[in-house]
Amino acid sequence: MPTAEVGVRGRTRGLLIQALYQWQLTGHSVAELENQFRERAEFARIDREFFEELLRDVFKQRDELDAIVARLADRPREQLDPVELAVIYLGLVELSRHLETPYRVVLNEAVRLARSFGAEDGHKYVNALLDRAAAELRAAEYRAGRQH
């Protein structure tokens, strides 16, 4: 579970990874997932609007997200670890739809989540894929960040 120093948004992302993982395994609808996660005690300690917005964004953008993964990954989506794919989906949504969050924050959070919930070296794969995605989705910000 995420550490105490993680803020509200970090806790929210951690719960989102769990919801996205569950969705991949069960195929539950966004409404079913929202209802289930509202019942959890930790839901009171997160940014509920952010949770629901990002969860819905992943569902709405699923085809676009899968197309990005297909273009940037070195293997088919079906061969990706479900936890890592959940982190990738979340990172891609934040990179594409939440420009208020700096791309480096998105990547750092993705690495943290992959380390917390994923396989031993999964964070390296997540970081590499999302770094390539940031170069495309946030080209100007990415170039500016590389110059410093």
Side-chain angles (χ1 to χ4, degrees), residues 32-102:
E32 288 173 307
L33 290 169
E34 286 174 348
N35 287 335
Q36 288 176 21
F37 279 79
R38 279 187 199 114
E39 300 286 322
R40 296 176 68 161
E42 59 264 51
F43 198 79
R45 298 179 38 238
I46 67 164
D47 182 335
R48 294 174 196 130
E49 278 184 40
F50 190 61
F51 178 91
E52 291 172 358
E53 181 179 357
L54 288 173
L55 185 63
R56 291 173 186 169
D57 285 347
V58 169
F59 272 71
K60 284 185 226 165
Q61 288 186 259
R62 171 73 188 275
D63 292 340
E64 181 183 334
L65 299 175
D66 283 341
I68 294 169
V69 170
R71 191 173 66 250
L72 299 178
D74 63 353
R75 62 191 89 140
R77 179 185 54 79
E78 295 78 19
Q79 292 179 9
L80 295 175
D81 176 85
V83 171
E84 292 164 16
L85 186 58
V87 175
I88 289 167
Y89 279 158
L90 180 58
L92 289 174
V93 164
E94 285 201 79
L95 287 171
S96 64
R97 306 253 332 218
H98 291 272
L99 304 180
E100 74 281 1
T101 305

Side-chain angles (χ1 to χ4, degrees), residues 81 83-84 110-126:
D81 176 85
V83 171
E84 292 164 16
V111 167
R112 180 186 66 78
L113 291 164
R115 279 188 170 142
S116 293
F117 296 104
E120 186 173 330
D121 285 332
H123 68 280
K124 295 175 185 176
Y125 188 82
V126 166

Side-chain angles (χ1 to χ4, degrees), residues 91-108 130-148:
L92 289 174
V93 164
E94 285 201 79
L95 287 171
S96 64
R97 306 253 332 218
H98 291 272
L99 304 180
E100 74 281 1
T101 305
Y103 88 90
R104 288 181 187 250
V105 171
V106 174
L107 268 60
N108 288 340
L130 289 177
D131 188 66
R132 289 191 296 274
E136 287 183 17
L137 298 170
R138 303 254 192 115
E141 180 186 358
Y142 186 86
R143 282 192 305 275
R146 291 288 182 190
Q147 293 173 356
H148 293 266

